[in-house]
Amino acid sequence: LAKTTQPISMDSYEGQEVNITCSHNNIATNDYITWYQQFPSQGPRFIIQGYKTKVTNEVASLFIPADRKSSTLSLPRVSLSDTAVYYCLVGTGRRALTFGSGTRLQVQP
Amino acid sequence: KAGVTQTPRYLIKTRGQQVTLSCSPISGHRSVSWYQQTPGQGLQFLFEYFSETQRNKGNFPGRFSGRQFSNSRSEMNVSTLELGDSALYLCASSAAGDREVLEQYFGPGTRLTVT
C-alpha cells in the first residue's frame, strides 16, 4: 500500500499561500494522487487530482516531482473559509479510497 | 446535476437493532462507496459497489453489509448495532470505470447514534 504522510496541522493567515506536502514513497506506477477538503460534519469535497508534473484548477494547484514520491497541494491566497481538513490519497481501486489522518489547516484573520 | 443524497440524515437506534441507510448517487455515476467517520478513527472505508457488484471492501466485520441496485442506488445495512457504531456514515459516488476510482462526490452523510 502506498502509505501517505502529511503534517497533522498547519496555521496560516488570510491572503497567504499555503502549501501542504504529502509523502508517498511507495507510490506505484498506476497510482493517482487525489486531494480532498473536509469541513466539520460534512462529506469530503474533491479538490484536485494528478499523476505527474503540475495540475491547476480554479481552486488549487498540485505539484508532483518527477519521482512522484511526494506531492504538494498549493492553495493561493487562503481565506477563513479554507479552514478545514485536507486529505491526500494515493492509489487506484481500494487504495484510492483509503483516507489517512489528513492535515488540519487553520486560517487566522 | 443533483448531488449525492442520503437518507435518513439522522437516526437513533438502540443496541442490538439493525439499520439500513440509503444513498442515491449522482445521475450517471456507477460507483458508490461507503465510509464511516468517527472522531477516534477518522474516515474509514467500508466498501465500494460498481455495477451491482462489491468491487472493494474495507476491514469491517460482517455486520456491515451493502448492496447496489440496477439504478446504482445503494444501501448499507448494519446488524446487531453496538455503541461503537455511532458515527457519521458517508456515501460517495464517482463515474469510475473498471480500472480506477476517479474523483468522488460525497453526500451529506447519515448521523447514526446508538444508545
Side-chain angles (χ1 to χ4, degrees):
Chain A
L1 291 179
K3 179 177 162 56
T4 60
T5 303
Q6 302 176 234
I8 294 174
S9 64
M10 295 181 68
D11 292 310
S12 183
Y13 292 94
E14 282 192 292
Q16 289 189 331
E17 177 184 75
V18 171
N19 295 308
I20 305 174
T21 297
C22 179
S23 295
H24 29 81
N25 291 321
N26 297 324
I27 189 168
T29 304
N30 295 334
D31 287 346
Y32 286 79
I33 300 159
T34 311
W35 286 81
Y36 287 85
Q37 173 193 57
Q38 187 179 27
F39 300 112
S41 298
Q42 293 184 26
R45 182 177 76 107
F46 172 87
I47 300 176
I48 197 166
Q49 182 179 78
Y51 182 79
K52 62 180 179 179
T53 62
K54 177 185 174 182
V55 181
T56 298
N57 62 22
E58 65 279 4
V59 176
S61 294
L62 178 60
F63 297 91
I64 305 169
D67 66 6
R68 303 203 325 125
K69 293 186 176 183
S70 67
S71 58
T72 299
L73 175 72
S74 181
L75 304 172
R77 299 178 298 282
V78 295
S79 64
L80 295 177
S81 63
D82 292 315
T83 294
V85 178
Y86 293 82
Y87 296 95
C88 162
L89 279 70
V90 174
T92 57
R94 173 188 165 177
R95 292 180 293 116
L97 307 171
T98 302
F99 285 73
S101 301
T103 297
R104 191 171 298 275
L105 173 65
Q106 180 69 49
V107 180
Q108 308 279 4
Chain B
K1 259 186 186 177
V4 177
T5 58
Q6 293 186 245
T7 56
R9 293 293 310 279
Y10 303 91
L11 204 51
I12 300 175
K13 291 284 189 178
T14 56
R15 278 181 298 175
Q17 288 187 313
Q18 75 164 16
V19 66
T20 298
L21 310 182
S22 181
C23 172
S24 293
I26 290 172
S27 177
H29 283 187
R30 296 166 63 193
S31 168
V32 174
S33 298
W34 288 90
Y35 295 82
Q36 180 196 67
Q37 187 166 35
T38 60
Q41 298 297 319
L43 196 58
Q44 293 188 283
F45 170 67
L46 280 154
F47 29 66
E48 183 224 359
Y49 285 87
F50 179 78
S51 294
E52 302 179 65
T53 301
Q54 189 180 86
R55 185 165 62 172
N56 290 292
K57 187 178 187 304
N59 298 319
F60 276 79
R63 299 187 298 109
F64 293 82
S65 62
R67 59 178 176 168
Q68 186 180 34
F69 302 97
S70 58
N71 61 358
S72 294
R73 190 177 69 85
S74 178
E75 290 181 346
M76 69 161 282
N77 184 276
V78 188
S79 62
T80 320
L81 283 166
E82 300 176 358
L83 294 178
D85 297 333
S86 294
L88 179 66
Y89 289 88
L90 292 159
C91 166
S93 76
S94 75
D98 292 337
R99 298 187 66 81
E100 69 257 355
V101 174
L102 302 176
E103 57 195 82
Q104 297 184 80
Y105 295 85
F106 282 78
T110 294
R111 174 75 62 185
L112 172 65
T113 301
V114 181
T115 62

